[in-house]
Amino acid sequence: MSAPQGSTNTNTEPWGSFDDNIIQGSGSAVIDMENMDDTSGSSFEDMGEMHQRMKEEEEVTEEAAATEEDNGEYGDFLGMKGLKGQLGRQVADEVWQAGKRQASKAFNLYANIDILRPYFDVEPNQVRHRLVESLIPVRMINFPQKVAGELYGPMMLVFTMVAILLHGMKTSGTVIREGTLMGTAIGTCFGYWLGVSSFIYFLAYLCNAQITMLQMLSLLGYGLFGHCVVLFITYNVHFHSLFYILWLVIGGLSTLRMVAVLISRTVGQTPRLILCGTLAALHMLFLLYLHFAYHKMVEGILDTLEGPNIPPIQRVARDVPVVANVVVNATIKSIAAIVQSQ
Amino acid sequence: MAEVEESNKPLFAGLSDISISEDIPVEGDISVPVGSQNTDNDFSTLDEPVKDTILRDLRAVGQKFVHVMYPKKSSALLRDWDLWGPLLLCVTLALMLQGGSADSEEDGRPQFAEVFVIIWFGSVIITLNSKLLGGTISFFQSLCVLGYCILPLTVAMIVCRIVLLGGASVVSFAVRLIVVTASFSWSTFASTAFLADSQPANRKALVVYPVFLFYFVIGWMILTFSPSQ
């Protein structure tokens, strides 16, 4: 490379200006790119090549620095003695490394997006069809049912559920002390989708069921369609009996579909029971939790007085620990008495 | 004599006999002087007064506002994208939607950071979604379009604030509902006019739905905003 040791010294700055590395390359027809502005236009092959050149130059400068140190440190800070433009080289090296790091980060980001691209390859009528299909349990459980492996529908359903939850939390006047409404809604929905999918996938692995993680994510995501419908209706129309009917019917249908698909992919009675029992319990209980956790306070009180066997889950500030049922019911009754006496 | 010579030698006859022997080295010295002082005179904006810079940027932002309010199919928003307008709109909206102190009763109101994060992360997710579905628009262009199309919702927020000055009643709620619904559909329509062209024809609905959801959430935040007394 160009490590000139005797050519003309055109230093105009004490640290060795950038012109050195270009003019002094006698006999070389290569423009030294390291001292120009590092634009991101170069291709990755060129960058690899230049990185190689930089490494070699680094080695040269390191050798020179080693010999320089051996020579003593008289006023050597700016590299005036010994190799000329040493600091200049180092600065240029830093710039180059920073640029290269940025470029490789950008490359990784791009690569990551492309990994997900095949999972988003859907048409609108396919999405519509799968949405409707998620409420229709399959009949044939003797051979494995096909599960679509796409992520667009599930993601849109999770975001829709976040929006619906936000609406429910707002209208019920939920107070979140240590957090935000949006954060709680997003955390709940995504946490359920990703967490329960992973858990059921793990159980499926234990029970030897033939389902991949992507398929499980997709299945559970589409199962949230029933939840969205029920929550959308019952956050606006507040009748407990309506909620229970919808919970059983729509929640039940979507659970049955997921369960049937899993049964068709598992062998043996006990594994089927474990897997499907867990999934059914989690799915139905989640809908129950979502409804009652963000329910309007007034309706809750009145319904408590009507139906003594249904203690509503109290919506309190999140930092208060769960109290006993008795205390809760006593509080509700006293508040209801005050409300009724006004 | 000359004619005989000319007839004997056709044009360019001797050229094919020319060959460069490999013993002659071809060398030279290509040096490109890095003249960094004389390239910036035409493009440098460092020397102009600050007022000019700000006015130029404001004019560009204002022009894009006009494009949003009357969404024709022009490519001005996409060609010279910038993120100043979205930042301005986002900050204005977040400031107006901000609630009171954390201990107040009306704690369900969104905080400044919440609105900010919703808008920017929502835009990023929509952009990623449209790129994954095979869109040809670039990342920042999409952010720019989505940010600028929040303008009708900001206008609706101002109108709601004014309406709420007259007290919160059913009439005011109806007025606010109409205003917010109109501006939210305007936003969705405007951003669709810019974004949907970059998608394959049969997937427009898949891209429009998240945009609809995004502006719906923002519009709903505006509608349910009630100032503290």
Side-chain angles (χ1 to χ4, degrees), chain B residues 155-173:
Chain B
V155 168
M157 178 76 214
I158 297 175
V159 169
C160 283
R161 256 289 167 91
I162 296 175
V163 167
L164 276 172
L165 282 178
S169 66
V170 184
V171 174
S172 89
F173 179 74

Side-chain angles (χ1 to χ4, degrees), chain A residues 36-55:
Chain A
M36 294 193 180
D37 284 341
D38 186 38
T39 62
S40 54
S42 43
S43 70
F44 293 105
E45 297 88 51
D46 290 347
M47 279 156 76
E49 194 185 304
M50 286 188 179
H51 184 61
Q52 190 58 35
R53 282 180 49 214
M54 282 308 300
K55 275 255 179 320

Side-chain angles (χ1 to χ4, degrees), chain A residues 188-204:
Chain A
T188 310
C189 296
F190 267 99
Y192 175 75
W193 183 46
L194 295 172
V196 172
S197 284
S198 320
F199 179 62
I200 300 288
Y201 175 66
F202 167 67
L203 277 185

Side-chain angles (χ1 to χ4, degrees), chain A residues 131-251:
Chain A
L131 282 176
V132 170
E133 227 180 30
S134 76
L135 289 177
I136 304 176
V138 289
R139 299 238 157 226
M140 233 172 326
I141 56 174
N142 293 325
F143 69 90
Q145 293 296 313
K146 185 173 171 310
V147 181
E150 57 138 321
L151 287 178
Y152 173 80
M155 279 206 58
M156 288 305 126
L157 278 171
V158 172
F159 280 120
T160 310
M161 203 158 84
V162 167
I164 295 177
L165 254 190
L166 215 62
H167 171 63
M169 286 203 280
K170 211 43 178 345
T171 50
S172 72
T174 306
V175 170
I176 312 263
R177 292 280 156 110
E178 285 152 19
T180 60
L181 243 84
M182 194 72 190
T184 313
I186 289 184
T188 310
C189 296
F190 267 99
Y192 175 75
W193 183 46
L194 295 172
V196 172
S197 284
S198 320
F199 179 62
I200 300 288
Y201 175 66
F202 167 67
L203 277 185
Y205 171 74
L206 290 180
C207 301
N208 256 341
Q210 310 213 327
I211 196 162
T212 65
M213 182 66 183
L214 173 71
Q215 286 172 332
M216 193 60 227
L217 279 172
S218 183
L219 194 64
L220 193 66
Y222 274 113
L224 287 175
F225 177 58
H227 280 24
C228 284
V229 167
V230 173
L231 288 175
F232 182 65
I233 297 177
T234 55
Y235 277 154
N236 295 317
V237 179
H238 301 279
F239 288 122
H240 259 83
S241 45
L242 176 69
F243 168 70
Y244 284 119
I245 293 174
L246 284 177
W247 177 61
L248 281 175
V249 172
I250 298 186

Side-chain angles (χ1 to χ4, degrees), chain A residues 11 65 323:
Chain A
N11 269 358
V323 294

Side-chain angles (χ1 to χ4, degrees), chain A residues 78-338:
Chain A
L78 292 177
M80 286 159 58
K81 199 169 154 182
L83 196 66
K84 60 175 138 314
Q86 160 115 352
L87 193 65
R89 280 176 184 273
Q90 279 176 349
V91 168
D93 195 359
E94 296 296 322
V95 166
W96 176 250
Q97 292 292 337
K100 196 179 95 73
R101 242 176 282 128
Q102 267 181 340
S104 47
K105 244 185 280 173
F107 181 71
N108 287 338
L109 175 67
Y110 250 101
N112 283 340
I113 289 184
D114 282 333
I115 286 175
L116 292 175
R117 206 179 275 268
Y119 306 142
F120 281 75
D121 193 13
V122 287
E123 309 289 319
N125 54 348
Q126 273 179 330
V127 175
R128 206 171 27 236
H129 184 241
R130 283 171 194 164
L131 282 176
V132 170
E133 227 180 30
S134 76
L135 289 177
I136 304 176
V138 289
R139 299 238 157 226
M140 233 172 326
I141 56 174
N142 293 325
F143 69 90
Q145 293 296 313
K146 185 173 171 310
V147 181
E150 57 138 321
L151 287 178
Y152 173 80
M155 279 206 58
M156 288 305 126
L157 278 171
V158 172
F159 280 120
T160 310
M161 203 158 84
V162 167
I164 295 177
L165 254 190
L166 215 62
H167 171 63
M169 286 203 280
K170 211 43 178 345
T171 50
S172 72
T174 306
V175 170
I176 312 263
R177 292 280 156 110
E178 285 152 19
T180 60
L181 243 84
M182 194 72 190
T184 313
I186 289 184
T188 310
C189 296
F190 267 99
Y192 175 75
W193 183 46
L194 295 172
V196 172
S197 284
S198 320
F199 179 62
I200 300 288
Y201 175 66
F202 167 67
L203 277 185
Y205 171 74
L206 290 180
C207 301
N208 256 341
Q210 310 213 327
I211 196 162
T212 65
M213 182 66 183
L214 173 71
Q215 286 172 332
M216 193 60 227
L217 279 172
S218 183
L219 194 64
L220 193 66
Y222 274 113
L224 287 175
F225 177 58
H227 280 24
C228 284
V229 167
V230 173
L231 288 175
F232 182 65
I233 297 177
T234 55
Y235 277 154
N236 295 317
V237 179
H238 301 279
F239 288 122
H240 259 83
S241 45
L242 176 69
F243 168 70
Y244 284 119
I245 293 174
L246 284 177
W247 177 61
L248 281 175
V249 172
I250 298 186
L253 278 177
S254 100
T255 312
L256 271 177
R257 165 157 178 95
M258 290 199 297
V259 156
V261 169
L262 277 179
I263 283 182
S264 75
R265 289 170 169 256
T266 320
V267 207
Q269 284 293 95
T270 316
R272 280 180 173 181
L273 198 63
I274 296 174
L275 202 56
C276 304
T278 323
L279 181 60
L282 284 171
H283 204 64
M284 300 294 274
L285 286 177
F286 184 58
L287 185 53
L288 213 59
Y289 164 73
L290 283 182
H291 178 77
F292 282 111
Y294 307 116
H295 198 57
K296 269 187 121 156
M297 178 80 115
V298 177
E299 314 294 339
I301 294 176
L302 292 179
D303 282 324
T304 309
L305 296 178
E306 288 167 9
N309 52 343
I310 308 165
I313 298 172
Q314 268 302 287
R315 261 181 331 98
V316 294
R318 292 295 169 107
D319 53 355
V320 174
V322 176
V323 294
N325 260 353
V326 172
V327 175
V328 165
N329 281 341
T331 320
I332 297 168
K333 286 199 170 78
S334 60
I335 293 176
I338 295 172

